Amino acid sequence: MSTKRAIRASRVAALLTRLVTLLGLVALGVLGPATAHAQSPPGALATGLHISDGRLVEGNGNDFIMRGVNHAHTWYPGETQSLADVKALGANTVRVVLSNGHRWTKNSAADVAAVVSQCKANRLICVLEVHDTTGYGEDAAAGTLDQAADYWIGLKDVLAGEENYVIVNIGNEPWGNTDPAGWTAPTIAAIKKLRNAGFEHTIMVDAPNWGQDWQGVMRANAQSVYDADATGNLIFSIHMYSVYDTAQEITDYLNAFVNAGLPILIGEFGGPPDQWGDPDEDTMMAAAQQLRLGYLAWSWSGNTDPILDLSIGFDPSRLSSWGQRIFNGANGIAQTSREATVFGGGNPGDTQAPTAPGTPTASAVTATSLTLAWTAATDNVGVTGYDVVRVSGGSETTVAASTTNTVAVTGLTADTTYTFAVYARDAAGNRSARSATVSVTTDEGGSTPGVGCSVGYRVVGEWPGGFQGEISIRNTGTTAISGWTLAFSFANGQTVTNMWGGTPTQNGGAVSVTPASYTSTIPAAGSVTVGFTGSKGATNTAPTAFRFNGSTCATT
C-alpha cells in the first residue's frame, strides 16, 4: 500500500548514513551474532508449528519453509478471493495485514476467524500481523506493541486450537529510526504478555528501523529476546528493502542468525528500485533457498505506489514484472514452495519419488525463447511440479519451474544451442530421476512480429526533478509473443535513470526497451508491466506513440 512507501519516506536521511554506522558497529563487535545456539527449553510447548533447533517445523517435525506473499486485508476486506489466487500460483503461506483499531478500522474477531478459515480452506499457513505499530517512536500515529498484544489476547478464543495453521506476528515494523534500541524491552514484554495469557502459537517479531534493522539492534539482542520466550517458539522477521542492496549485506545478516541457531525469515521484501536504492531481490531469494529460510514478498495488490503490486488490480492473470519474478522466476514460489504437511501436502513417510518425466520436446523457438513440453510423470501420492534445467557437461542450472507439463523458457541467446531436461517433484519434496535431454538451437535473430498490441503509459508519482513511470504492454493477438522491443520518444528531455522489467537504451528523447527474462514472453491476451524512474524538467508530457517489434501499437 502507499502507506508502506509513504512511511518509508522519513527514512531517507537515515539510509544515507547507514553504511558508516554499520561499519562502525561491526568494527566494535556490536553486530556480532550470539554464539549460543537457540534451543527450545525442556518441556517447551510444541503444539502445531513450533521451533526446533533454530528452525520452524510442523507438529510432525517436518521443516516448514514459508514461500508466500503479504496481503493487505485490513484495507481491502472484500478481496478474500486473493487467498485462493495466491494459492493457485503456488504459495504455501500468506501474511495477512490486520488492524487493532488504533490507526485503521479494527478487524473484528469474526473477521479474523473468517480469514483463518479461508486460509485453511485454501491450504495456506496464515501469518497474522497488526499493522498499526508501524514506525512507532518516529511515526506519531503508530500504536505500541503492548496495545497489539492486548488485541491478540482479545482474539484468544478465535486463535486457540489453530496452532497448526496460524503464526502470530505481534506487530508490523514496530519501531522507526528514532532510538531503535527502545525496541528490545517492549518486544520482550509483549512476548511474555502473550505467553502469560496462554498463547501456544509460534510468535513472530519484526525488527526496528522500519523492519530493516540497519542499525543492528535486533541482531545484537536476538538471543536475549529469544530467551525471554519460555516456550522457545519464537521466530525473527527481517524486512528487506533498499537497505539491502548488496549481496554481502543480505548474506551477512541472514547467516548471523543461522550461525547462532536463531530462527529467522524474510517477512517482507521488495525488488523494484525506488528513490532510496535498488534492493537485491535475486540474492534475497537465492540465500533464502540455500539456507532453507522462509520469504514473504510485499505485496499481492492494492499498493497506491503500484511498483510493489505483484498482481495488477488483484487479478492473478495480470502479474506485474515483480509478480512474475516472485512466482515464476529463479528461486521463486512455483519452483521452491512446498505445501504444509498438515494439509496432506506432504507425508513424512512418503519417500517414493515420482517417475521421470518424458523426454521434452521444443516448439515456438525464437531467438530468445522457446516452449518445452513433456509427458507427465506419475507418483504414488501426486506430482506437484516440475523443474526444468539447462544441462552443460556435468553441470545443471535451473531455468524454469511449472506446475504443468509445459513451460516457456525465456532470456536465451540467439543462434545458440541449449540442452534441457526435466525433473518432477511431489509434495513431500521427493525428486524424480532426470528425464532424457533435448537439444535446441535458437533462431539467428528477430522476434515474433505480426501480433496485436496495446500500450498503457502512466506517471505513478512526481517530485522536483524526477518522476516514476509505468508502461503496461498487452498482447491483443492470438499468438504468444516471445522476445520484443518497445520504442517511444520523450518530448521534454526526460531521461530514464532506472528500469525494472526491461532494459532501456536512450538516444536523446528516443527510448528503446528490451525485456527482462521474466517479461520476455507475453501470452495471447496477456500483459507485462515495465516500471522506471526518470529525471525531468518543469514539463513531463507522456509519450503519444509506441512501436512494438516495429509495428505501431494502440494506446490505452
Side-chain angles (χ1 to χ4, degrees):
M1 183 177 180
S2 60
T3 303
K4 183 65 59 176
R5 289 279 182 166
I7 281 173
R8 287 196 173 89
S10 63
R11 308 178 200 184
V12 178
L15 294 180
L16 294 174
T17 63
R18 76 181 191 274
L19 183 58
V20 173
T21 304
L22 281 169
L23 289 173
L25 290 170
V26 170
L28 293 171
V30 174
L31 296 187
T35 56
H37 284 260
Q39 301 288 342
S40 297
L45 297 172
T47 302
L49 289 160
H50 62 281
I51 303 300
S52 177
D53 293 327
R55 299 196 61 77
L56 178 66
V57 300
E58 295 190 68
N60 59 16
N62 274 17
D63 263 15
F64 181 68
I65 303 171
M66 284 183 263
R67 289 287 182 268
V69 305
N70 288 264
H71 172 52
H73 173 72
T74 199
W75 302 306
Y76 301 97
E79 296 292 347
T80 52
Q81 174 62 32
S82 297
L83 300 179
D85 293 338
V86 300
K87 175 62 179 182
L89 288 164
N92 64 19
T93 305
V94 63
R95 180 172 178 259
V96 180
V97 176
L98 300 177
S99 172
N100 66 353
H102 180 85
R103 185 169 185 177
W104 295 285
T105 302
K106 181 178 180 178
N107 294 95
S108 67
D111 181 51
V112 175
V115 168
V116 172
S117 177
Q118 289 176 70
C119 282
K120 292 166 68 176
N122 286 291
R123 303 161 74 91
L124 289 163
I125 296 300
C126 206
V127 178
L128 303 176
E129 59 102 342
V130 167
H131 215 77
D132 306 67
T133 57
T134 305
Y136 180 79
E138 185 174 348
D139 190 330
T144 67
L145 281 169
D146 187 65
Q147 291 167 333
D150 286 340
Y151 175 70
W152 295 122
I153 291 170
L155 293 174
K156 186 180 176 185
D157 289 345
V158 168
L159 300 179
E162 302 294 352
E163 292 84 359
N164 276 307
Y165 308 98
V166 171
I167 293 173
V168 176
N169 188 179
I170 304 177
N172 180 69
E173 301 180 1
W175 213 273
N177 290 323
T178 303
D179 186 28
W183 165 90
T184 305
T187 299
I188 289 174
I191 293 165
K192 289 184 174 181
K193 192 170 192 175
L194 291 180
R195 293 304 184 208
N196 290 337
F199 275 75
E200 300 180 4
H201 305 72
T202 292
I203 290 175
M204 183 183 295
V205 294
D206 284 8
N209 295 127
W210 302 88
Q212 298 197 79
D213 200 31
W214 59 267
Q215 289 177 292
V217 171
M218 185 171 82
R219 179 171 167 176
N221 293 278
Q223 189 69 55
S224 62
V225 173
Y226 184 88
D227 292 342
D229 182 358
T231 76
N233 295 320
L234 184 77
I235 188 168
F236 296 93
S237 174
I238 182 67
H239 292 184
M240 289 187 164
Y241 291 96
S242 352
V243 167
Y244 295 92
D245 52 7
T246 69
Q248 192 71 48
E249 289 169 318
I250 295 161
T251 56
D252 280 355
Y253 195 92
L254 296 177
N255 276 303
F257 281 77
V258 172
N259 292 339
L262 291 165
I264 191 168
L265 82 154
I266 306 174
E268 283 186 21
F269 68 106
D274 56 29
Q275 56 266 49
W276 301 297
D278 185 359
D280 184 358
E281 71 275 17
D282 291 340
T283 297
M284 295 176 203
M285 296 167 73
Q289 181 65 9
Q290 178 186 9
L291 297 171
R292 296 178 59 78
L293 304 178
Y295 68 63
L296 304 171
W298 185 275
S299 76
W300 175 240
S301 197
N303 295 283
T304 52
D305 181 349
I307 67 168
L308 286 175
D309 275 351
L310 297 161
S311 69
I312 307 302
F314 296 93
D315 184 350
S317 69
R318 299 176 61 205
L319 293 183
S320 66
S321 56
W322 173 226
Q324 291 286 359
R325 175 70 188 91
I326 289 299
F327 286 103
N328 301 319
N331 300 303
I333 287 173
Q335 180 181 331
T336 65
S337 177
R338 303 291 182 268
E339 186 178 87
T341 62
V342 71
F343 298 117
N347 182 345
D350 178 13
T351 59
Q352 182 174 327
T355 62
T359 305
T361 58
S363 62
V365 180
T366 73
T368 59
S369 66
L370 53 85
T371 298
L372 294 175
W374 55 89
T375 302
T378 59
D379 184 67
N380 63 318
V381 176
V383 174
T384 58
Y386 297 91
D387 298 322
V388 177
V389 296
R390 177 187 174 188
V391 181
S392 179
S395 65
E396 296 179 351
T397 303
T398 301
V399 295
S402 177
T403 56
T404 66
N405 59 327
T406 184
V407 72
V409 180
T410 60
L412 306 179
T413 302
D415 196 23
T416 302
T417 299
Y418 294 90
T419 300
F420 299 102
V422 184
Y423 290 92
R425 47 183 161 79
D426 63 19
N430 299 308
R431 200 183 199 200
S432 73
R434 195 175 80 185
S435 74
T437 60
V438 61
S439 293
V440 190
T441 302
T442 53
D443 289 349
E444 292 184 0
S447 54
T448 307
V451 294
C453 58
S454 66
V455 174
Y457 178 96
R458 71 187 186 109
V459 173
V460 175
E462 294 188 69
W463 53 91
F467 72 107
Q468 179 183 316
E470 180 182 88
I471 305 169
S472 177
I473 307 165
R474 178 167 290 275
N475 177 2
T476 59
T478 58
T479 304
I481 298 169
S482 295
W484 49 265
T485 301
L486 179 72
F488 61 92
S489 293
F490 285 122
N492 309 120
Q494 300 98 318
T495 301
V496 175
T497 56
N498 208 341
M499 180 172 283
W500 50 98
T503 301
T505 301
Q506 185 163 354
N507 183 11
V511 181
S512 177
V513 179
T514 54
S517 61
Y518 50 91
T519 57
S520 180
T521 298
I522 312 177
S527 65
V528 296
T529 302
V530 174
F532 66 94
T533 55
S535 62
K536 68 175 184 68
T539 305
N540 188 20
T541 305
T544 57
F546 297 86
R547 293 184 64 80
F548 186 81
N549 287 346
S551 299
T552 300
C553 278
T555 55
T556 58

